[in-house]
Amino acid sequence: MTSPFRLILLGLGLLTAPAALAQQPGRFTISGHVRDGATGESLIGVAVVNPATGQGTATNTYGFYSLTLPAADSVKLLVSYLGYEKQRLGLKADRSLTYDVRLKPLSAELSGVEVVGSREEKISRSTRMGTINVPVSQIKLLPALFGETDVLKVLQLLPGVQSGSEGSSGLYVRGGSPDQNLILLDGTPVYNAAHLFGFFSVFNADAIKNVELIKGGFPARYGGRLSSVLDISMKEGNMEKFHGEGAVGIIASRITLEGPIKKDTASFIFSARRTYIDVLTQPLVKLATEGVSAGYYFYDLNGKLNWKVGARDRLYLSGYAGNDKFYADTEEKRGEEYDRLDSGLGWGNRTAALRWNRVVNDRLFMNTHLTYTRYQFLVGVESENRYYQGTDLKTDKFSLAYLSNIQDWSIKQDYDFVPNPNHYVRFGGQYILHQFRPGAVQAKGDLGVPTDEVNIGSRVRASEAGLYVEDDYRVSERLKVNLGVRYNTFLVNKKVYHSPEPRVSARFMLTEDVSLKASYARTSQFIHLLTNSGIGLPTDLWVPATAKIKPQTAQQFAVGAAKDLRFHDEDFELSFEAYYKPMNNLIEFREGADFLGTTDSDWESKVTSGQGWAYGGEVFLQKKSGKTTGWIGYTLAWSNRKFPELNQGRLYPYKYDRRHDASLVVIHQFSPTLTLSGTWVYGTGNATTLSQGRYQLGPFDDFEDYGPRNSYRMRAYHRLDLDLSHTKKKKWGEIVNSFSLYNAYSRKNPFYIYLDQGYSTPSGGMVEAVYKQVSLFPIIPSFSKSFKF
């Protein structure tokens, strides 16, 4: 272990050990877990407050809280969480104690609808910037393409978050690229979160409990990416009774089952989703072309086991498997002879996680996390030919495949330490073993050489380690700061990189409901994504930083203000943030290079490094409760790149540089059984590079003359989506019928632009070349039926 790691560990030990082991005289600690009274699920961010003094805390990711107060004859605490009945506790305050709380969910008639932010802490009082928590229950109410609920598409409606192209589920956060987002599923990284060439995400909303997006002001406990953290937690499984839900849609169906293995001790949850586009189209393909079989489908599987080992210990085992497969097979028979050709494209993720939670004492909580993740894509073709040679029947077989993957094994340990209500300390460390296979070509069959197999490609291993400490410190009633530092190292092929990363964010209360905020974060990223695709095709290659290719680094400066509003007895939250983010050591393919034929031995020669700058401002107004809820978001932003070997070394706009981006989201609950929702989005057109002319240099050689990189803007993008949902109560549960319209006024939004070549007419005239726009989706109605029991 390097000396800086030893110093940090020593400092952590000196800082926390005495306080963790000794109870201060004249004080006592109340600690425990807060859970859903109906299901036993842990609740994140529940406020536990002493109203008499204003001192309080909030539950962590696993529902644990700890509150240290001065000794007294008795104390009254208020436990509150949006969507649940408040609970008042009257406790003796003469000694430390453990007290678990079960909150009762409010009925639909009482709770209304919550849209963004399920935490009780007011936006003006939080030190965190650029952080939004999105309740899954509201994600399910918003309109969805083909009726398929999509977490990532809802996040695209937030300020500072942009979509890539029409219908895609990619996230471009504050001028960053998709590989700069740390996407966590139960704490395990997911390297490709897209299905159907980017049009759907891999997350099944029925299996998800919590969704949190961090765009800036990153706490020190997160590392490894430059632009955002998307932290998604799966449900733990109903501890009280068996429960199920699912849906049947136009292109896919899903089912989720959960329940107790042993009541109040162990539970499970299992979820599955599959499309059936291939099943529906297969008969039509065979009818149209004899001997041809083609199709596409994807599936997701989620599972989780939850075991309460004892009063202080809990184990979780969770996993995910998902895959996309496109195939096209042809077969031509001639009696005993035949020719068969099978081709396909497949990609998918596998994750597994084992977590151990332990309440070390009433102020110290520990979480140990073992994880595995793998992303892989494969392009392949197989052929088989059976034929007569003279009187002998012979068979030739040949296969060719291009493979790329990345695998991680990780161990992480996190501690939450709450010495008193003015401090919330987190510290811990992580070690990751990466294994990269940027590109491998495999060929088998009769190659005309002595061996019948060729394998080009090998694996590259790298180690990444990080330590962190942070403290959410209430300096005074007006001033609160989050101070932290993270220290990362990366080892690959004997090359070692070090990255100290200070983090700080603060809020200052101007009045009771108005605050000013500021933050700074330095981040580093030791892995790169090589991509030349704009529509989410899975031809992306994950590669490590090397001696030649340096890690990506960034700094983000942000300032802002927040205000809690009350208008006609309705609560609103208004926030503004401005940011500036310079980025270094970004990589792109050189001109003319792409993933085809790229292997681990030559990818470094196909890329070039450069810089990026992103800056802008975001306004966010949201209404979180009541019969009508929603938000308005607006972003004014710039995102530029500069590479010495691209665009003649001149500054150019990033492909998804978008000057103006606006969104309007409204959910209205007419009654507990009837809900209407709508979203409207507007964005400046994407930047693209167009050919300015084509020249013929010879009889077989054409030259395309391109202008400055990304110098042309497509038309502005805007779209309206609507959804009407009606709930029918049954003895066994409920059925929800949803009718939705995607692109309700059928706007012809640009997907891409191509040059339609000119030509000479038979009469000697000339038709000039023109650019034409391709639009993907007109108005699309869809219907889905979901159920719960």
Side-chain angles (χ1 to χ4, degrees), residues 669-719:
Q669 194 175 36
F670 292 99
S671 70
T673 60
L674 186 63
T675 302
L676 175 66
S677 65
T679 63
W680 182 80
V681 294
Y682 172 89
T684 301
N686 288 339
T688 189
T689 306
L690 295 182
S691 169
Q692 295 183 335
R694 173 175 287 185
Y695 306 95
Q696 191 168 359
L697 302 180
F700 306 104
D701 195 7
D702 289 342
F703 172 71
E704 200 88 25
D705 179 23
Y706 287 94
R709 196 178 184 96
N710 294 340
S711 59
Y712 179 79
R713 290 280 178 178
M714 296 185 189
R715 294 171 60 198
Y717 183 99
H718 53 87
R719 190 188 77 242

Side-chain angles (χ1 to χ4, degrees), residues 169-172 176-183 190-194 224-227 347 349 374-377 402 404-407 434 436-439 490 524-546 549-553 584-590 593-595 598 603-604 606-610 641 643 646 652 654 656 709:
S169 58
L171 296 181
Y172 297 80
S177 54
D179 64 308
Q180 295 174 354
N181 304 315
L182 177 61
I183 300 177
V190 176
Y191 280 101
N192 188 309
R225 298 294 189 277
L226 301 190
S227 292
W347 67 98
N349 298 277
R374 188 202 72 179
Y375 167 68
Q376 176 172 288
F377 86 79
Y402 183 83
S404 179
N405 64 34
I406 179 173
Q407 298 183 78
H434 297 286
F436 301 87
R437 199 171 191 183
F490 188 76
S524 59
Q525 182 169 329
F526 301 103
I527 59 177
H528 299 270
L529 183 67
L530 296 179
T531 178
N532 59 350
S533 169
I535 58 172
L537 289 172
T539 53
D540 300 331
L541 312 180
W542 288 95
V543 295
T546 66
I549 308 298
K550 295 181 179 180
Q552 303 177 63
T553 60
N584 294 309
N585 305 322
L586 308 179
I587 67 171
E588 293 277 359
F589 276 117
R590 296 179 187 272
D594 57 28
F595 85 98
T598 300
W603 70 267
E604 291 173 283
K606 293 189 173 186
V607 302
T608 182
S609 298
R641 299 286 191 267
F643 287 73
L646 299 178
Y652 64 90
Y654 183 47
Y656 298 108
R709 196 178 184 96

Side-chain angles (χ1 to χ4, degrees), residues 115-116 123 132 157-159 563-567 570-576 618-624 629-634 663-666:
V115 176
V116 178
I123 189 173
I132 300 177
L157 301 171
L158 301 174
K563 179 175 176 58
D564 299 302
L565 302 170
R566 190 162 183 82
F567 185 73
E570 299 279 3
D571 291 325
F572 297 81
E573 292 183 347
L574 176 65
S575 63
F576 165 77
E618 303 164 3
V619 179
F620 193 35
L621 175 66
Q622 54 179 319
K623 186 173 182 291
K624 298 165 59 175
T629 57
W631 67 83
I632 300 173
Y634 171 73
S663 60
L664 171 65
V665 175
V666 178

Side-chain angles (χ1 to χ4, degrees), residues 56 58 67 163 271 382 394 421 452 530 554 568 591:
L67 183 60
S163 61
S271 184
E382 294 183 0
K394 292 192 172 185
D452 66 348
L530 296 179
H568 290 302
E591 297 286 6

Side-chain angles (χ1 to χ4, degrees), residues 181-218:
N181 304 315
L182 177 61
I183 300 177
L184 300 172
L185 179 62
D186 264 0
T188 307
V190 176
Y191 280 101
N192 188 309
H195 280 311
L196 192 57
F197 307 101
F199 293 118
F200 298 103
S201 74
V202 301
F203 304 113
N204 185 345
D206 291 345
I208 294 173
K209 175 175 68 173
N210 189 71
V211 178
E212 183 176 73
L213 177 68
I214 305 173
K215 301 178 292 181
F218 304 106

